[in-house]
Amino acid sequence: MQAAAKEARQGHGKVAQQLRDLVDKAKQEQSALVRRAGVHPTPVLRDELATLLSVSYPDHRLSSMVLVPSIEEKLLRILHEQRQQDRLRSFGLQPRRKLLFVGPPGSGKTMTASVLAGELRRPLFTIRLDGVITKFMGETAAKLRQIFEAMNQTIGIYLFDEFDAIGSNRRAPNDIGEVRRILNSFLQFLENDESQSIIIAATNHPDLLDQALFRRFDDLIRYEFPDSEISIRILKSHLTQFNTDSVEWGEITQAVQELSQAEIARAADEAAKEAVLQGHTEITTRGLLLALAERRQANL
């Protein structure tokens, strides 16, 4: 696809279209093989990359997430541009693919990366910061270079979780020279990256990020704790197989305040397990309240 884009920029439209047709044909043949085999072609990482990346092939879909409309609209736009990237590139345009997710823990940032991978049927590569960041001068930048080279070689979703470890403010009082060099290297690699992979940086602490980072990303998505309406929808979506007719949702509304999406989903699962172990499929108000209280207590 990079070769096709290059030909299109040089005015060789026929050659570019032939290359795109070959790629589409190969994708269709591979998808057919995958469907028949019932497996995903998970990439095999070289030894050095295996210490820097963990790979998975999620099967999540956007419909499995309960999102506020503003975030859902942004994700739909990203997916639409990715699916129509050939058309965009034929006009010299680039789809959104460098994304910054910020928000509290459990608000859906990592889940969104899995959903994008599932929707686009691409592998999800999670950068292992313990393998990337070292105490040796210059070594971290070299490992970052390897990761960005991998983005060119294997198209996928590349997630830098806890990104503030790399992107912390260069003017911070406790800054040291190596931290500044790491961030400068990342900024350079991100700026020069022309792969077709999606790059996601996620952090719980946007206030720690260097301001230069924000303008390097195509989209900034801010996640927040869910309001009561979203919280109830999360509970109901996780309890579709159970009878919730007796649940007093008005009482539940007070109990979900200031809990994250992940904690609410966990509470729903806990209430469901308790019902199954008691030999029935009815979810009660008391059962849900106990599960939500347990999640709240776990945060104290």
Side-chain angles (χ1 to χ4, degrees), residues 2-19:
Q2 291 176 355
K6 182 178 180 182
E7 294 294 337
R9 288 195 296 269
Q10 293 176 351
H12 305 154
K14 185 176 180 180
V15 175
Q17 187 58 51
Q18 289 174 337
L19 287 171

Side-chain angles (χ1 to χ4, degrees), residues 18-32:
Q18 289 174 337
L19 287 171
R20 286 193 289 267
D21 290 344
L22 286 171
V23 171
D24 289 340
K25 182 180 179 181
K27 286 181 179 178
Q28 291 171 3
E29 291 175 350
Q30 183 186 53
S31 296

Side-chain angles (χ1 to χ4, degrees), residues 92-143:
L93 302 171
Q94 298 294 323
R96 286 175 169 80
R97 62 178 190 84
K98 299 175 182 179
L99 313 173
L100 179 59
F101 296 167
V102 302
S107 56
K109 302 184 296 299
T110 304
M111 181 63 176
T112 300
S114 295
V115 163
L116 292 177
E119 288 281 356
L120 297 172
R121 299 189 65 80
R122 296 181 187 176
L124 172 62
F125 296 96
T126 302
I127 286 72
R128 300 174 58 178
L129 293 181
D130 60 330
V132 174
I133 299 176
T134 73
K135 63 181 178 180
F136 300 108
M137 185 174 296
E139 190 171 306
T140 298
K143 292 184 175 184

